[in-house]
Amino acid sequence: MSDLHSHTVAFVRDTMLPQKAPPGTSVGVVGWMRENLFSGWFNSLLTIAAMAFIYLVGSIILPWLISPTWQAESLGECREILAGLGREGHFGGACWGVIRDRWIQLLFGFYPPESYWRPILALVLLAVALAPVLFSDKVPRKLIWFSAISAFIMPWLLWGGTIWTPLAVIAGFVLAYFVYKAVDTAAGALAAIIAAVVAALVWWLFVMGPVSEALSSILPLGIEPVESRKFGGFMLSVTIGVVAIAGSLPLGIVLALGRQSDLPLVKAICVGFIEFIRGVPLITLLFVASTLLNIFLPPGTSFDIILRVIIMATLFASAYMAEVIRGGLAALPKGQYEGADSLGLDYWQSQRLVIMPQALKISIPGIVSTFIGLFKDTTLVSIIGLLDPLGLSNAIRADADWNGIVWELYGFIAFLFFVVCFGMSRYSMYLERKLQTGHR
Amino acid sequence: MKKSVFLGALTVAGLAAGAAAAGTLDDVKARGKLNCGVTTGLVGFAAPDANGNWEGFDVGVCRAVAAAVLGDPQAVEFVPTTGKTRFTALASGEVDMLARNTTWTFSRDVDLKFDFVGVNYYDGQGFMVPKALGVSSAKELDGATVCIQTGTTTELNLADFFRKNNISYEPVPIETNAEGQQQYLAGACDTYTTDASGLAATRASFENPSDHVVLPEIISKEPLGPLVRHGDNEWGDVVRWTLNALIAAEELGITSANIAELSEGTNNPEVNRILGTEGNLGEMLGVSADWAKNAIMAGGNYGELFEKTIGENTSIGLARGLNAQWTDGGLLYSPPFR
């Protein structure tokens, strides 16, 4: 007898069995449900309770949503239609006629209808201009120049006026660039930056106006100007939101760096600014923009109300942005700073090449949260009498036809905001995955 | 380039305020547009339609003034103002006049430095209750929960009324009229109180208006009228007499239908003076001779405007009541055009 295993037991299988299909209770829908919904008596109980709740809510909301009132001309007509179907009472059905009647107004406010193509074109430009920023690996890099130029085209499209104004603004940047180059070789980087900023400011504040006026009197190229008062609805929210978002990120980075600066004056200014803005509610700032400035400025000075609001919203968001980015900076190990220094990079180089790419990556969720919060905060302008979607919903209710309509309007506005905010949130998750370098 | 004056202007703002405000009439004429402050939306009084055109009773006053000064009722820039921003908007010159159901009170007239040029609607605070509550007088509301807009004169009137009648109430603070409607319908309060015109509009929007009653007591005086800045009497006169022209036109039977005929000359000298075919009232006021004619043609006389926007044939269905001509037992009484 050998000691081989096969000789000591009665039976040994010497061929592999073919794989069997898993039991029916652990695959497919049934398997998924067993695993995820009914994996124990407690979970089963919770599942049933949740389903009952969803059914309860759905059975009220869905019939309300599905309501053949699209063509109605007034709330009374909606009620007649629903009464004709035997659906009466508080949950009888939505009155969608108000959305059909007013959706264009909710989107564009009081913008002249013959010029609707302008905000639409501006939105398309915005999408194209954002592509090289948001999806830098999928589109040609050269497109970034287009983005830079659209930043000047879009306001021109929205507010109209002569073409020379945006061109003169661009000329200011060109001027600043050449001043920087000239002074840089003569007197060093810091002096060059200061000289460039001063030159640009002088150009924008004192020279640009007469120059563009003169040019437009020679060659009057332009489109119909639209006053800020005509802005309203979702367009107003998007305008304020986009400008404030685009402005607050760079400003926030500068403030965050300034707060960590070794220069006491810079640090004091940045800390003071951030803490002041964060210590004051946005509403207060908006009231300052709308009423307090009015009292200090002489009557007749038209300092555009929307511009005032945009500036306030940008400053407000940039203070929060600075703190979010400071969090990213603080999360970087000290070795990164020292490594950059040991490579011989100067301050700006090390920030640009080593520190900021990592700090911003860490801060993405916080940055996008701030963006989303900022975008939703734009609805606060209804308090100072600007007709954003929420302000308009009140104005629409003041129409005797639609007085008493609440849920339909708020639902529609909420849907608009949800689409934008949800889009931003999904993009931030995509960006995080893309920039994932396996540190965790 | 207005920005260039920004800094220097700050220092002389006080001086400039006095100087620039002195010529609102000239400013409006130079601008070619009247900046008129209205509410952000109040049923019947001011609301934009689907095309963005403002309509309503207060809007009609704005259009009449624009027609009187500029000859064009459409030459108005409507500036929506909230209860919080309205007075600064007027004081700072952002708007030339306010026509936004603002109650004429002592402190607003004297302390806030405004001039109320007249009253275009006599309102008063009332109560609405569900019929099922079985209340027929506001004095029976002891212990009731009351939906009340915060920060308005209605809040103070309410406190006064209940204290005077030695009964108690529990306030349910709300922010907007829409919120008030919802809270009231949901039963969060026994009664909703606001201006009677607002109650009528709210009640009209209910699914079953007949289930609700507006109690007979009116507990406050709310004379609502257009107002202008203190100290610019020429402009104040223009707005005051435009409003008076609308009221007088109804009393004298001038309507938008017969105005073309009447302006060819009538036997009534006052009608002639109003319509500019006799005398030089327009010249005294600093506007064209047919100013009142334009104002009346903008939206009809006071009665026509009332009927079209808030009167008994509209869904709001307000009766003239105190807002009838003095000859019909109301309070409307325009000084003579002489």
Side-chain angles (χ1 to χ4, degrees), chain A residues 75 79 87-90 101-102 105 110 113 204-206 208-210 213 227 229-230 287 290-303 305 307-308 382-387 391-392 394-401 403-407 410, chain B residues 1-6 9-10 12-14 16-18 20-21 33 40-44 46-55 77-82 84-85 88-89 91-94 176-178 181-182 185 201-202 204-208 315-316:
Chain A
L75 182 57
R79 283 175 179 153
R87 290 162 61 174
E88 286 191 52
H90 210 55
D101 194 34
R102 297 298 182 111
Q105 193 172 45
F110 299 96
W204 285 325
L205 288 183
F206 301 110
M208 187 184 91
E213 263 170 43
E227 292 163 50
R229 283 271 163 228
K230 304 272 180 210
F287 272 122
S290 89
T291 61
L292 208 58
L293 276 180
N294 262 349
I295 290 172
F296 287 130
L297 293 174
T301 312
S302 59
F303 187 16
I305 176 77
L307 193 62
R308 282 184 262 166
S382 61
I383 304 219
I384 56 167
L386 290 180
L387 292 181
L392 267 179
N394 183 41
I396 291 171
R397 259 194 302 277
D399 186 334
D401 285 345
N403 187 17
I405 286 195
V406 179
W407 296 105
Y410 282 139
Chain B
M1 195 61 219
K2 276 177 180 150
K3 270 180 218 150
S4 56
V5 298
F6 182 92
L10 275 177
V12 294
K33 263 202 165 175
T40 51
L42 181 69
V43 184
D49 71 2
N51 301 318
N53 298 320
W54 286 83
E55 288 167 351
E77 191 69 48
F78 290 101
V79 180
T81 56
T82 67
K84 297 184 182 77
T85 63
T88 34
S92 69
E94 193 182 348
T176 63
N177 188 43
Q181 288 182 19
Q182 291 294 309
L185 279 181
T202 301
S205 76
F206 288 166
E207 192 148 10
N208 299 309
S315 62
I316 306 159

Side-chain angles (χ1 to χ4, degrees), chain B residues 82-132:
Chain B
T82 67
K84 297 184 182 77
T85 63
R86 55 182 165 183
F87 295 129
T88 34
L90 180 60
S92 69
E94 193 182 348
V95 297
D96 303 314
M97 59 177 282
L98 274 184
R100 85 174 287 294
N101 72 315
T102 302
T103 307
W104 185 350
T105 67
F106 181 92
S107 59
R108 284 172 180 173
D109 201 338
V110 176
D111 194 28
L112 290 180
K113 301 265 181 289
F114 295 126
D115 273 348
F116 284 81
V117 300
V119 175
N120 70 333
Y121 190 85
Y122 289 95
D123 214 336
Q125 186 176 342
F127 293 92
M128 177 165 59
V129 293
K131 229 173 217 166

Side-chain angles (χ1 to χ4, degrees), chain A residues 1-69:
Chain A
M1 282 296 267
S2 96
D3 287 336
L4 280 178
H5 188 65
S6 54
H7 295 155
T8 57
V9 289
F11 173 75
V12 169
R13 184 186 290 283
D14 52 6
T15 54
M16 283 291 282
L17 272 179
Q19 260 185 12
K20 270 194 187 162
T25 51
S26 66
V27 292
V29 180
V30 178
W32 183 87
M33 277 172 48
R34 269 176 67 105
E35 194 180 327
N36 291 296
L37 298 181
F38 302 99
S39 58
W41 67 267
F42 185 66
N43 285 350
S44 307
L45 212 64
L46 282 184
T47 302
I48 291 169
M51 279 180 168
F53 179 73
I54 291 172
Y55 174 78
L56 197 71
V57 174
S59 65
I60 296 172
I61 289 182
L62 272 184
W64 183 82
L65 281 176
I66 302 167
S67 165
T69 47

Side-chain angles (χ1 to χ4, degrees), chain A residues 58-408:
Chain A
S59 65
I60 296 172
I61 289 182
L62 272 184
W64 183 82
L65 281 176
I66 302 167
S67 165
T69 47
W70 187 250
Q71 293 301 334
E73 294 289 340
S74 70
L75 182 57
E77 207 180 315
C78 279
R79 283 175 179 153
E80 273 171 35
I81 292 174
L82 290 170
L85 296 170
R87 290 162 61 174
E88 286 191 52
H90 210 55
F91 298 109
C95 183
W96 296 120
V98 67
I99 306 294
R100 177 196 54 74
D101 194 34
R102 297 298 182 111
W103 69 273
I104 292 181
Q105 193 172 45
L106 280 169
L107 289 183
F108 291 104
F110 299 96
Y111 211 79
E114 65 276 7
S115 300
Y116 280 163
W117 61 272
R118 280 157 53 176
I120 294 172
L121 182 63
L123 195 66
V124 173
L125 275 183
L126 177 70
V128 178
L130 280 179
V133 182
L134 299 184
F135 305 99
S136 50
D137 50 341
K138 300 211 177 95
V139 292
R141 277 196 85 80
K142 287 263 163 56
L143 211 56
I144 197 84
W145 287 105
F146 175 79
S147 310
I149 293 174
S150 358
F152 301 98
I153 305 267
M154 282 184 287
W156 176 66
L157 275 176
L158 290 180
W159 276 276
T162 163
I163 181 83
W164 298 109
T165 308
L167 290 181
V169 174
I170 296 177
F173 282 100
V174 176
L175 178 78
Y177 175 77
F178 281 115
V179 169
Y180 176 82
K181 278 284 166 199
V183 182
D184 190 22
T185 49
L190 188 62
I193 291 177
I194 295 173
V197 169
V198 169
L201 284 180
V202 168
W203 168 265
W204 285 325
L205 288 183
F206 301 110
V207 187
M208 187 184 91
V211 166
S212 68
E213 263 170 43
L215 281 171
S216 64
S217 62
I218 299 168
L219 193 61
L221 280 179
I223 46 178
E224 185 73 14
V226 176
E227 292 163 50
S228 288
R229 283 271 163 228
K230 304 272 180 210
F231 282 48
F234 203 57
M235 189 189 128
L236 178 66
S237 299
V238 172
T239 309
I240 298 175
V242 167
V243 179
I245 283 174
S248 66
L249 185 59
L251 210 54
I253 292 176
V254 171
L255 284 171
L257 291 177
R259 189 165 191 168
Q260 303 214 316
S261 168
D262 295 330
L263 306 171
L265 189 64
V266 173
K267 182 171 179 163
I269 290 175
C270 290
V271 171
F273 176 85
I274 292 171
E275 294 305 335
F276 172 73
I277 296 274
R278 292 208 311 164
V280 178
L282 180 55
I283 293 263
T284 317
L285 293 177
L286 290 177
F287 272 122
V288 168
S290 89
T291 61
L292 208 58
L293 276 180
N294 262 349
I295 290 172
F296 287 130
L297 293 174
T301 312
S302 59
F303 187 16
D304 196 295
I305 176 77
I306 292 188
L307 193 62
R308 282 184 262 166
V309 167
I310 285 177
I311 291 173
M312 284 300 179
T314 309
L315 294 183
F316 185 77
S318 63
Y320 282 84
M321 191 62 67
E323 287 301 281
V324 168
I325 291 169
R326 192 170 67 94
L329 289 172
L332 276 192
K334 204 163 176 245
Q336 295 293 329
Y337 292 88
E338 292 168 349
D341 286 347
S342 70
L343 286 173
L345 303 176
D346 69 15
Y347 178 75
W348 292 110
Q349 283 173 326
S350 68
Q351 290 298 340
R352 187 163 56 88
L353 299 171
V354 179
I355 308 299
M356 268 304 146
Q358 301 184 67
L360 288 181
K361 191 183 82 183
I362 298 171
S363 330
I364 286 173
I367 292 176
V368 175
S369 283
T370 311
F371 283 168
I372 290 176
L374 169 63
F375 186 62
K376 290 190 293 190
D377 280 349
T378 58
T379 52
L380 289 179
V381 300
S382 61
I383 304 219
I384 56 167
L386 290 180
L387 292 181
D388 82 312
L390 283 189
L392 267 179
S393 79
N394 183 41
I396 291 171
R397 259 194 302 277
D399 186 334
D401 285 345
W402 304 119
N403 187 17
I405 286 195
V406 179
W407 296 105
E408 294 84 345

Side-chain angles (χ1 to χ4, degrees), chain B residues 6 29 40 44 67 81-82 98 105 114 147 152 162 173 175 215 248 261 273 285 306 314 331 336:
Chain B
F6 182 92
K29 281 180 181 168
T40 51
T81 56
T82 67
L98 274 184
T105 67
F114 295 126
C147 277
T152 59
F162 276 77
E175 188 58 37
L215 297 178
E261 188 188 324
R273 282 195 294 271
L285 205 54
F306 193 101
T314 65
L331 291 176

